Amino acid sequence: MDYTIRIGGEAGQGLQTIGGVLAKVFSRSGFHVFTHQDYMSRIRGGHNFYQIRFSDKEVMSSREKVDILIALDLNTIETHKAALSEKGIIIYDGAFIKKGFDSPEFSNIPFEAIAVEAGGNRIMANTVATGAVLGMLGMDLTIFEDIIRERFRKKGEEITGKNITSARAGFDHAVKTCTRCDFAVPKPGEPPLMLINGNEATGLGVLMSGCRFYSAYPMTPSTGIMVFLASKAEKYGIVVEQAEDEISAINMALGASFAGTRAMTGSSGGGFALMVEGLSLAAMTETPIVIAEVQRPGPATGLPTRTEQADLLFVLHAGHGEFARVVLAPGTPEQAFYLTNKAFDLAEKYQIPVFILSDQYLADTEWTLNGFDTGRLRHNDYRLRNETLEGIPAYKRHRLTENGISPMAVPGESGHIIVTDSDEHDEEGHMIEDAETRIKMTQKRLLKKLPLIRQEIEPPFLYGSDRPDIVVAGWGSTYGVMKEAVDVLSRDYSIAMLHFSELHPFPSLERFDYLSILGNAKLTLCIENNATGQFSRLMRAETGYRFNAGINKYDGRPFTLEGLSGELYAHIGKL
């Protein structure tokens, strides 16, 4: 069982309401769910769609074929009719779109008329549509009714009751009229699954890592992290500050970190460009900071609500001078949660900036999980607090050490003066210009730390054949679609996936010789959502390895399972 439902219409018509509720019903029924949104950067109007794929086995990518298309306007029918599967159905409200269709794949359900009759208000048309879909699938309404009670509890029993009545009316209408419906959805038997998107998982990782200060200026698609944290601020005691711009945002976070608390900022490419001076300040002062860079297509404001992986080399090289940094690129919400925790640990341990490099596709897509294992989380306090400073006659913030890591005390927690400077400085933090100290500080900040940091970087994840003829490699949000494509092609070929989620420092070969896997394959392909193959170039620079070819998509849309599989077959056919 593997079905895809797509809800299409204009912004403001309630696509997310219908899609979000259906995704919850499926996940609470124990099915695996993957949702994907395609929306324009405007408040109302424009064509948008919300897609839900659900199955009794794990799913982690979007498909092109649609089994149920909910058309909230005529444009949706014209745009997506060709994507309908062989037994697919389009449901629409003929009175609302002012047009009827006689073909068997169409089902005219008067959403608004049913809502007025059952609930007394056409505003409940979306509830009718949701109930109708569940009726077409032959599912029970119980979970949906529970969700309605949760959602409308504050509005009272009357509103709740009318919504439940509307849902039942839509359900009954679909059961009676949809003679073509042939969906086989098994009865729920598995426990409910957690449903979470990439931004929420990152936010949850922030909270569970002990971060107490987050500052940002809103910029799609990174804003979801700030919204999530703000919604939890009171419960978890985190200060969430909407700064006047990104320059202020990163400097606020640096101030909070210098003062002794775990701090983070976040933005997308254009906003991060403004943070670069602050990034260099973090490096020179060795102030720990975590930065979420949630990519969208550029240059400039680009495509604000769409996806791309084109900031990799920018993030790797942003800032002036040479300094240590870490770049982590999660491919799933689960990775986003654990890597965010790792980011805080590495930032504090080595007193460096650490990036969470995500993108719009991962930020907005929802996945189902069994939950998170909090036993895997790291939480070490690397700062010198009150008692650890007692008896130390002279504290030096930038003391030269064997491993390059200086003692990091908290201002105000001892009698010591804690000094740092954005100019080159000596061990006590005072400005210098002599060559000898400059060399020692560069060795401390960069050359001594980097080898230690590299030891903490995990190798790529290998999935599929352990002796593959074909290897697909990628990073970040291409994880799910590559993994499912490997499953599809494994029926005919010896194929494997190498997924990199920890990019800088580049993974060493000591723990896993991934170059041998690539070197023994007949065909190696690098999959990226950018035009120039930025990861492929990084691999070449770090290891000397060159992929046989790249599959690059840079139209602002993610790879789909059918699309990537088709491209892979085309490359294999040339062997």
Side-chain angles (χ1 to χ4, degrees):
M1 190 273 287
D2 187 348
Y3 294 126
T4 293
I5 300 168
R6 185 177 295 169
I7 307 114
E10 296 182 358
Q13 281 193 291
L15 286 75
Q16 286 192 334
T17 302
I18 300 173
V21 169
L22 283 172
K24 276 188 182 177
V25 171
F26 299 143
S27 62
R28 291 189 186 184
S29 299
F31 295 122
H32 297 273
V33 176
F34 184 88
T35 75
H36 158 214
Q37 297 184 58
D38 185 295
Y39 56 102
M40 303 181 79
S41 56
R42 59 184 70 175
I43 304 301
R44 291 192 67 86
H47 179 66
N48 305 275
F49 69 82
Y50 187 110
Q51 182 162 307
I52 309 153
R53 183 179 170 204
F54 75 107
S55 174
D56 51 0
K57 56 183 179 299
E58 193 172 43
V59 289
M60 51 184 65
S61 67
S62 297
R63 298 189 64 178
E64 293 176 7
K65 283 295 178 186
V66 177
D67 298 292
I68 296 178
L69 176 63
I70 306 172
L72 300 183
D73 62 3
L74 187 58
N75 186 26
T76 297
I77 296 174
E78 295 167 348
T79 303
H80 299 287
K81 183 184 174 185
L84 208 62
S85 62
E86 187 179 352
K87 294 186 177 181
I89 297 174
I90 301 171
I91 64 173
Y92 68 103
D93 185 338
F96 181 78
I97 68 171
K98 298 180 173 54
K99 190 169 182 178
F101 298 88
D102 293 329
S103 303
E105 67 267 31
F106 285 91
S107 179
N108 183 359
I109 300 179
F111 302 135
E112 287 196 350
I114 293 174
V116 170
E117 183 179 349
N121 195 325
R122 65 187 181 90
I123 200 171
M124 297 173 193
N126 288 341
T127 306
V128 173
T130 308
V133 171
L134 295 175
M136 294 168 69
L137 293 170
M139 294 184 68
D140 191 84
L141 269 183
T142 305
I143 293 176
F144 181 32
E145 290 175 355
D146 290 342
I147 292 172
I148 290 174
R149 292 186 185 95
E150 293 169 14
R151 175 163 292 191
F152 296 105
R153 184 177 298 133
K154 292 183 179 177
K155 294 194 175 183
E157 291 186 5
E158 184 181 358
I159 298 296
T160 301
K162 286 181 176 179
N163 272 281
I164 289 176
T165 303
S166 298
R168 289 174 180 164
F171 181 92
D172 292 340
H173 184 93
V175 170
K176 289 177 186 173
T177 59
C178 191
T179 55
R180 180 185 163 93
C181 289
D182 188 27
F183 301 104
V185 179
K187 296 294 180 188
E190 300 297 324
L193 293 172
M194 180 181 191
L195 184 69
I196 191 167
N197 68 34
N199 270 350
E200 291 168 344
T202 300
L204 205 54
V206 172
L207 295 176
M208 297 304 291
S209 298
C211 175
R212 293 295 175 263
F213 186 86
Y214 185 91
S215 51
Y217 181 78
M219 187 172 186
T220 304
S222 66
T223 309
I225 299 173
M226 182 165 64
V227 171
F228 177 83
L229 292 175
S231 72
K232 310 293 181 187
E234 186 173 346
K235 182 176 181 180
Y236 289 89
I238 180 172
V239 174
V240 179
E241 178 70 21
Q242 179 175 323
E244 63 268 34
D245 56 38
E246 287 85 353
I247 299 171
S248 178
I250 191 169
N251 286 322
M252 284 182 180
L254 286 174
S257 180
F258 182 75
T261 192
R262 290 195 162 186
M264 180 175 177
T265 187
S267 190
S268 300
F272 173 65
L274 296 175
M275 293 184 177
V276 172
E277 176 68 24
L279 172 68
S280 300
L281 177 64
M284 177 56 100
T285 59
E286 298 178 273
T287 305
I289 188 169
V290 176
I291 304 167
E293 215 275 43
V294 188
Q295 302 164 94
R296 71 188 206 189
T301 43
L303 295 172
T305 58
R306 302 198 181 276
T307 199
E308 201 159 80
Q309 293 180 300
D311 291 348
L312 172 58
L313 296 182
F314 174 39
V315 166
L316 281 172
H317 300 292
H320 48 284
E322 300 170 298
F323 56 88
R325 74 189 77 192
V326 169
V327 180
L328 308 174
T332 69
E334 192 171 20
Q335 288 185 359
F337 176 75
Y338 292 115
L339 287 179
T340 299
N341 173 253
K342 183 171 183 175
F344 278 101
D345 189 76
L346 293 179
E348 297 256 328
K349 184 175 182 179
Y350 295 101
Q351 302 168 24
I352 55 170
V354 179
F355 290 90
I356 300 295
L357 186 59
S358 177
D359 58 37
Q360 182 270 331
Y361 188 54
L362 177 61
D364 288 341
T365 51
E366 292 177 304
W367 304 50
T368 41
L369 324 168
N370 286 317
F372 296 114
D373 177 7
T374 55
R376 289 176 54 187
L377 297 178
R378 310 177 182 190
H379 191 86
N380 302 302
D381 188 358
Y382 296 101
R383 298 175 192 263
L384 300 181
R385 304 281 176 183
N386 288 318
E387 61 278 10
T388 53
L389 285 167
E390 291 177 2
I392 297 178
Y395 170 76
K396 296 179 180 179
R397 170 66 188 92
H398 297 285
R399 182 161 62 86
L400 298 171
T401 61
E402 283 298 315
N403 60 11
I405 302 169
S406 302
M408 183 169 54
V410 177
E413 287 198 0
S414 75
H416 298 284
I417 296 175
I418 298 170
V419 180
T420 191
D421 201 301
S422 62
D423 280 42
E424 189 57 276
H425 41 252
D426 61 16
E427 291 181 276
E428 292 182 340
H430 298 300
M431 291 172 57
I432 59 91
E433 291 198 34
D434 68 281
E436 183 181 357
T437 305
R438 165 66 178 179
I439 291 170
K440 289 179 179 176
M441 285 296 162
T442 301
Q443 290 173 339
K444 186 183 88 69
R445 282 192 301 266
L446 179 64
L447 301 180
K448 288 186 176 180
K449 285 183 183 178
L450 266 182
L452 298 176
I453 298 170
R454 187 184 297 275
Q455 291 177 15
E456 309 230 21
I457 298 298
E458 291 292 324
F461 170 63
L462 176 67
Y463 177 76
S465 171
D466 56 0
R467 293 184 179 180
D469 291 330
I470 303 155
V471 178
V472 293
W475 60 283
S477 68
T478 55
Y479 176 98
V481 71
M482 287 201 303
K483 192 164 182 273
E484 285 208 62
V486 166
D487 287 338
V488 171
L489 272 72
S490 290
R491 300 165 193 159
D492 302 310
Y493 302 101
S494 168
I495 186 170
M497 168 184 87
L498 278 175
H499 180 264
F500 293 74
S501 60
E502 304 191 20
L503 305 180
H504 185 79
F506 208 73
S508 74
L509 300 173
E510 293 178 5
R511 292 163 60 187
F512 173 35
D513 185 5
Y514 49 89
L515 287 186
S516 293
I517 299 285
L518 292 165
N520 292 329
K522 296 176 182 175
L523 176 65
T524 61
L525 299 161
C526 190
I527 317 299
E528 296 190 71
N529 265 127
N530 59 50
T532 58
Q534 296 192 14
F535 178 78
S536 182
R537 292 159 61 190
L538 178 63
M539 170 74 93
R540 175 78 169 163
E542 293 284 345
T543 68
Y545 183 80
R546 186 193 295 273
F547 290 99
N548 295 141
I551 297 177
N552 297 79
K553 187 173 175 61
Y554 43 92
D555 58 0
R557 277 71 178 173
F559 287 100
T560 62
L561 181 55
E562 293 95 331
L564 180 59
S565 299
E567 294 219 38
L568 292 175
Y569 278 122
H571 279 276
I572 293 169
K574 297 175 186 174
L575 285 176

